[in-house]
Amino acid sequence: MNKPRALEKDMTIALIAPSGARNNDIILPRTKAFWEEQGYRVKVGESCGARHGYLAGTDGVRAADINRFFADDEVDAIFCIRGGYGAARIVPLLNYDVIRNHPKLFLGYSDVTALHSALNRYGHLVTFHGPNGDISIEDDRVAVSFQSLMQALTATDGYEIMNPAGYPRQTLQGGIARGRLTGGNLTVLAHSLGTPWAPDFEGKILFIEDIGERTYRVDETLVNLKYAGAFEKCAGILLGEFTDCPVEYPDFGLTLEEILDEIGFPKDKPVLRGIRAGHCSPKLTLPMGALCEMDADRKTVRLLEGPVK
């Protein structure tokens, strides 16, 4: 895997909107101002101010921003300002030769899962599943998120990925596994199955999270991953937050806990629940494609490598 350079003051961050357009006119100025206040130069992609229906510009506009900023020697990091929908439409349009030859910090989550998968698999690039570029430190929860983000972007040595205080983890199946992180949003991953852009699950530590899905839909997408062989192929499973995922029929539906108990994870794979990452605040930043080790019995996840100096 290609590792980007660690983030340093005075580096240049490029802001892009590879997915949705909703509220980008509000998000962009505060995002740009925030990172400039932190001591970084900022470039803004055309997609941040574009609109094509629910998308932040046409597929060509959104893909061109990514290709241009990876090729731009002045740019050190590329941050997505929000998710939404649309990233899967542009993965065939990316120049993976340029991406492989110009590794840079790439940050985002939610719909950006489609880009993490493609950049990991075809760009051979370690990317960062964490807060979109729109982040502030106005309260304690977001301050913790920012601390985790900066640790991931700057720490060149390994470190333990620890939940914030007050967020315990749960061992669903014990054991130790080592592998490269992959995954992200469960729904986006399930939609990628059967395409060239799905992750290669073989030997990986699989992280999944979701938001706003009824529990029967979570059940369905987990079954999709299971039947696609993701659980058999991976080395271990990390379950993030499943935010606002209510039971569809409270009088006879299944809870998330019941679904996870019944889904049938392979008995030889460690499964650790409660990784504080995904659609939540505070949230951890996870380097996708980086080598890590999980110990489900001790409830620990340790990153074994980071960006380069």
Side-chain angles (χ1 to χ4, degrees):
M1 298 294 290
N2 294 321
K3 302 177 188 67
R5 283 185 59 203
L7 191 66
E8 298 176 1
K9 295 294 185 182
D10 296 325
M11 281 186 168
T12 297
I13 296 169
L15 302 178
I16 63 170
S19 301
R22 185 171 61 89
N23 296 332
N24 286 359
D25 56 337
I26 298 172
I27 293 171
L28 176 62
R30 69 187 184 201
T31 302
K32 183 174 184 293
F34 173 78
W35 288 106
E36 288 175 338
E37 289 168 3
Q38 301 305 310
Y40 302 99
R41 295 185 292 271
V42 176
K43 289 190 176 186
V44 176
E46 183 181 347
S47 59
C48 292
R51 183 159 194 148
H52 176 64
Y54 42 77
L55 301 168
T58 63
D59 295 349
V61 165
R62 289 177 289 119
D65 270 356
I66 296 175
N67 290 333
R68 179 171 61 255
F69 286 137
F70 268 106
D72 187 343
D73 290 335
E74 293 182 355
V75 170
D76 303 287
I78 302 171
F79 293 174
C80 304
I81 64 171
R82 69 178 304 271
Y85 165 73
R89 293 178 54 155
I90 65 174
V91 288
L93 306 179
L94 302 185
N95 189 328
Y96 294 101
D97 288 334
V98 169
I99 292 166
R100 280 191 296 272
N101 291 321
H102 298 82
K104 299 181 181 186
L105 298 164
F106 186 91
L107 172 69
Y109 81 112
S110 194
D111 188 61
V112 181
T113 294
L115 295 173
H116 287 306
S117 296
L119 295 178
N120 289 171
R121 185 164 188 176
Y122 296 104
H124 305 161
L125 178 67
V126 172
T127 58
F128 296 83
H129 181 286
N132 291 320
D134 179 32
I135 186 171
S136 68
I137 51 174
E138 295 175 353
D139 61 56
D140 291 341
R141 293 176 307 158
V142 179
V144 171
S145 300
F146 184 70
Q147 181 181 17
S148 176
L149 170 61
M150 296 308 292
Q151 182 180 38
L153 298 181
T154 62
T156 56
D157 297 321
Y159 60 89
E160 186 173 340
I161 302 174
M162 301 175 63
N163 273 14
Y167 297 95
R169 295 171 177 174
Q170 178 186 5
T171 300
L172 299 189
Q173 292 184 178
I176 298 172
R178 178 181 290 198
R180 295 192 178 277
L181 275 170
T182 194
N185 181 261
L186 175 60
T187 298
V188 176
L189 289 174
H191 288 163
S192 75
L193 297 175
T195 75
W197 315 108
D200 176 6
F201 299 105
E202 192 68 44
K204 302 297 196 305
I205 302 297
L206 174 59
F207 164 76
I208 48 179
E209 61 82 33
D210 219 325
I211 184 174
E213 298 288 350
R214 303 285 183 175
T215 53
Y216 81 91
R217 293 285 293 171
V218 176
D219 188 336
E220 179 183 34
T221 46
L222 286 171
V223 168
N224 285 347
L225 281 186
K226 177 181 178 179
Y227 290 164
F231 300 151
E232 284 289 347
K233 293 176 181 177
C234 74
I237 299 166
L238 300 175
L239 299 174
E241 296 298 324
F242 288 78
T243 307
D244 297 330
C245 291
V247 177
E248 174 72 3
Y249 308 106
D251 53 345
F252 62 90
L254 292 174
T255 65
L256 181 60
E257 288 70 25
E258 290 171 318
I259 291 167
L260 294 175
D261 184 57
E262 296 176 6
I263 199 67
F265 295 116
K267 294 300 183 183
D268 61 337
K269 304 295 170 75
V271 182
L272 183 59
R273 185 184 177 191
I275 304 302
R276 188 66 181 176
H279 291 78
C280 56
S281 181
K283 64 165 64 69
L284 299 171
T285 296
L286 304 178
M288 310 308 285
L291 189 63
C292 75
E293 182 175 87
M294 63 175 290
D295 185 332
D297 297 299
R298 297 177 58 199
K299 302 180 179 64
T300 59
V301 181
R302 183 165 185 80
L303 186 67
L304 302 179
E305 59 187 6
V308 298
K309 294 181 180 179

